Amino acid sequence: MDSRRLLRTSAAALAAAGLILSGCSGGSDAAAPRATDRGRQAPSAAPGALKEFYAQKLTWRDCGTTGFQCATLKAPLDYAKPDGEEIELAVSRVRATGPGKRIGSLLVNPGGPGGSAVGYLQGYAGVGYPAPVRARYDMVAVDPRGVARSEPVECLTGPQMDAYTQVDQTPDDAAETEALGAAFKDFAAGCAKRSGKVLPHVSTVETARDMDVLRAVLGDERLHYVGASYGTFLGATYAELFPDRVGRLVLDGAMDPSLSAIDLNRDQTAGFETAFRAFAADCVATPDCPLGTGSVAAAGEALKRFFRDVDAKPLPTGESRKLGESLATTGVIAAMYDEGAWPQLREALTQAKSGRGAGLLALADSYYEREPDGEYANLMAANAAVNCLDLPPAHRDPAGAAKAVPSFEKASPVFGAGLAWAALNCAYWPSPATGRPHRITAEGAAPILVVGTTRDPATPYKWAESLAGQLSSGVLLTYEGDGHTAYGRGSDCVDTAVNAHLLEGTPPPDGKRCS
């Protein structure tokens, strides 16, 4: 499982979401802030070298999806060389429906990194966001560079991805350790071979700069934005670069940009443990729980035994792939993002007890965005490409991963070992990291609403507390509950507070709590 810093929003449709923080532009032009002075350079006018990009006109066309329009935005491949090659980014919108005065454009991003914002808009946000919000905003999305329709990063073929996702990520000996390292190296080499041109230019800072170009092209003086999961880091990065252009920002399922890659991974591992314990408590209270009817701790031991069993003897699934430990773990983690998936997980584990792995395989496939024909979306490729560029690797080599296992197992006895080893893949990445962990303050920005869920599996609540505290204008809204992200997931209290911020520019009192 390559789940390091991969998150998922769960608002009605499981749109890919992920995780990673800081990045620096790597550029040397005057408009590209250096890592040491980010947030202090926020030009109020488009730099001369970028004028043609800020002045471009979008040609809107029918998307083939009722009500939505599509266009192509051009940006520099390398902001340090604005006269060099260009990159084309896919944009989509649905116009404000009225009634009420149009506020502007509302850009949405579901996270990932690697989640298709265009797919999220057309599949959920453009029709599923609260009607008063859709009435007064043009809902807009742009697939980040390297993602989905925006010159996607490509690494492996479908059959190669099938093999990659089945590699044992809890190596028991030197041979298995070598095989895991080889799998990560092959993945990285495939990315370099198939996407070498774009690979050094998919950082979060570059994507945030693309967002500012889009803001200007759409005719908005300020950026109004809802970002979930990794999208919160993207939004915070935008605020850091362009604090005077911040409009009404909502950062839901927040990340902490001050943490290193290993700390991020370890914290997220603890988040999955918290979510599993909530699932287990619900499960063991029923007479047919496949993990037993004892304590939560006993359920955790039962799941660990199951993982060991399928590691030794993978289960048939009704197709050529078998369910080994890596796919089984991914299937369980996939269901942690939304408590609505708990019944499906109970059924899948019940099937597995009787020797059938199809249910857990289906959950794993949904997590990896594997299609029935064996092809994969570029989620995993883009996720690694952005993560490995935004932060130095969590581990430098297999010895570092092995050394980290005990601390990860302390964070999660159930998932710790696998997630410690999964964080190894950036050690072999062909493009060196351009970002570093750092605090984001965004001095001078308008109020930024940060939303955190107390039992969020993928973005632990303490990250929302930290980000809200770092931002000079941060306001924290807390949802006391389960699942990844909170807006649009059934809490009237949360939705009312977020809607007031988006529609009236009035954030809730800092520290407001909803349940």
Side-chain angles (χ1 to χ4, degrees), residues 141-207:
V142 55
D143 276 348
R145 50 177 60 207
V147 174
R149 301 164 179 84
S150 294
E151 301 196 22
V153 172
E154 296 180 349
C155 300
L156 301 178
T157 66
Q160 288 172 331
M161 276 297 296
D162 279 347
Y164 178 71
T165 60
Q166 295 179 72
V167 174
D168 188 348
Q169 291 200 357
T170 55
D172 299 316
D173 53 38
E176 290 186 351
T177 300
E178 183 177 353
L180 179 58
F184 287 145
K185 290 177 184 177
D186 289 345
F187 186 91
C191 298
K193 180 179 179 180
R194 303 180 71 182
S195 300
K197 183 183 79 171
V198 72
L199 217 57
H201 301 293
V202 294
S203 71
T204 297
V205 164
E206 289 162 306
T207 294

Side-chain angles (χ1 to χ4, degrees), residues 96 106 129-139 487 499 502-503:
L106 181 63
Y129 264 39
V133 173
R134 291 184 286 112
R136 300 188 60 196
Y137 282 101
D138 290 345
M139 301 287 293
Y487 183 49
N499 291 347
L502 291 175
L503 296 173

Side-chain angles (χ1 to χ4, degrees), residues 191-252:
C191 298
K193 180 179 179 180
R194 303 180 71 182
S195 300
K197 183 183 79 171
V198 72
L199 217 57
H201 301 293
V202 294
S203 71
T204 297
V205 164
E206 289 162 306
T207 294
R209 299 191 70 185
D210 296 338
M211 286 166 51
D212 194 58
V213 173
L214 179 59
R215 171 203 59 78
V217 171
L218 291 171
D220 292 326
E221 291 187 6
R222 293 174 178 263
L223 180 78
H224 306 304
Y225 173 82
V226 177
S229 197
Y230 160 79
T232 67
F233 175 55
L234 181 57
T237 299
Y238 180 90
E240 180 180 38
L241 293 171
F242 308 105
D244 60 331
R245 302 176 193 175
V246 168
R248 300 170 186 178
L249 262 62
V250 178
L251 309 180
D252 183 14

Side-chain angles (χ1 to χ4, degrees), residues 26 85 118 151 157 177 192 289 318 321 343 382 423 438 441 444 465 508:
E85 293 188 66
V118 170
E151 301 196 22
T157 66
T177 300
C289 176
R321 292 178 299 157
H438 66 287
T441 60
E465 292 180 300

Side-chain angles (χ1 to χ4, degrees), residues 27-417:
S28 58
D29 62 301
R34 299 186 302 275
T36 55
D37 52 40
R38 276 180 298 223
R40 293 199 290 271
Q41 295 188 30
S44 58
L50 297 174
K51 184 176 180 179
E52 67 173 284
F53 297 104
Y54 276 80
Q56 67 185 290
K57 303 294 183 182
L58 295 180
T59 301
W60 294 101
R61 61 188 184 277
D62 181 73
C63 291
T65 301
T66 302
F68 292 89
Q69 297 174 305
C70 289
T72 300
L73 179 77
K74 293 184 178 181
L77 176 65
D78 184 350
Y79 275 94
K81 301 175 182 178
D83 294 328
E85 293 188 66
E86 298 178 352
I87 190 169
E88 295 188 342
L89 308 174
V91 182
S92 184
R93 75 176 179 187
V94 58
R95 303 305 296 268
T97 60
K101 183 179 179 181
R102 177 182 175 277
I103 296 171
S105 304
L106 181 63
L107 193 65
V108 296
N109 182 282
S116 171
V118 170
Y120 176 71
L121 176 73
Q122 296 180 1
Y124 171 67
V127 294
Y129 264 39
V133 173
R134 291 184 286 112
R136 300 188 60 196
Y137 282 101
D138 290 345
M139 301 287 293
V140 181
V142 55
D143 276 348
R145 50 177 60 207
V147 174
R149 301 164 179 84
S150 294
E151 301 196 22
V153 172
E154 296 180 349
C155 300
L156 301 178
T157 66
Q160 288 172 331
M161 276 297 296
D162 279 347
Y164 178 71
T165 60
Q166 295 179 72
V167 174
D168 188 348
Q169 291 200 357
T170 55
D172 299 316
D173 53 38
E176 290 186 351
T177 300
E178 183 177 353
L180 179 58
F184 287 145
K185 290 177 184 177
D186 289 345
F187 186 91
C191 298
K193 180 179 179 180
R194 303 180 71 182
S195 300
K197 183 183 79 171
V198 72
L199 217 57
H201 301 293
V202 294
S203 71
T204 297
V205 164
E206 289 162 306
T207 294
R209 299 191 70 185
D210 296 338
M211 286 166 51
D212 194 58
V213 173
L214 179 59
R215 171 203 59 78
V217 171
L218 291 171
D220 292 326
E221 291 187 6
R222 293 174 178 263
L223 180 78
H224 306 304
Y225 173 82
V226 177
S229 197
Y230 160 79
T232 67
F233 175 55
L234 181 57
T237 299
Y238 180 90
E240 180 180 38
L241 293 171
F242 308 105
D244 60 331
R245 302 176 193 175
V246 168
R248 300 170 186 178
L249 262 62
V250 178
L251 309 180
D252 183 14
M255 293 175 46
D256 182 351
S258 69
L259 297 178
S260 67
I262 191 169
D263 287 335
L264 282 169
N265 280 276
R266 195 158 36 215
D267 279 358
Q268 190 182 43
T269 298
F272 284 120
E273 180 70 18
T274 297
F276 170 73
R277 292 180 68 84
F279 162 76
D282 179 75
C283 185
V284 299
T286 64
D288 57 349
C289 176
L291 299 177
T293 56
S295 66
V296 168
E301 289 298 322
L303 185 58
K304 287 170 63 178
R305 285 194 302 273
F306 168 70
F307 288 155
R308 288 195 296 268
D309 290 343
V310 295
D311 185 29
K313 187 178 180 181
L315 297 179
T317 62
E319 58 170 272
S320 59
R321 292 178 299 157
K322 290 189 175 183
L323 185 83
E325 182 181 12
S326 291
L327 286 172
T329 303
T330 302
V332 173
I333 282 180
M336 293 298 98
Y337 286 90
D338 185 352
E339 65 272 27
W342 290 358
Q344 184 181 355
L345 176 58
R346 283 197 296 269
E347 174 60 27
L349 288 171
T350 299
Q351 288 181 9
K353 281 185 66 176
S354 64
R356 295 173 292 149
L360 283 173
L361 181 64
L363 282 166
D365 284 351
S366 71
Y367 186 88
Y368 287 129
E369 294 195 354
R370 183 187 190 273
E371 299 296 332
D373 64 2
E375 293 301 309
Y376 288 74
N378 92 307
L379 170 66
M380 301 307 300
N383 181 262
V386 177
N387 282 338
C388 296
L389 205 57
D390 273 359
L391 281 183
H395 312 307
R396 296 288 180 181
D397 51 37
K403 184 179 179 180
V405 166
S407 67
F408 275 70
E409 289 186 320
K410 183 178 180 180
S412 173
V414 176
F415 305 115

Side-chain angles (χ1 to χ4, degrees), residues 465-487:
E465 292 180 300
S466 179
L467 180 59
Q470 292 172 43
L471 292 167
S472 62
S473 60
V475 175
L476 179 63
L477 172 64
T478 298
Y479 173 58
E480 297 176 348
D482 297 293
H484 182 40
T485 73
Y487 183 49

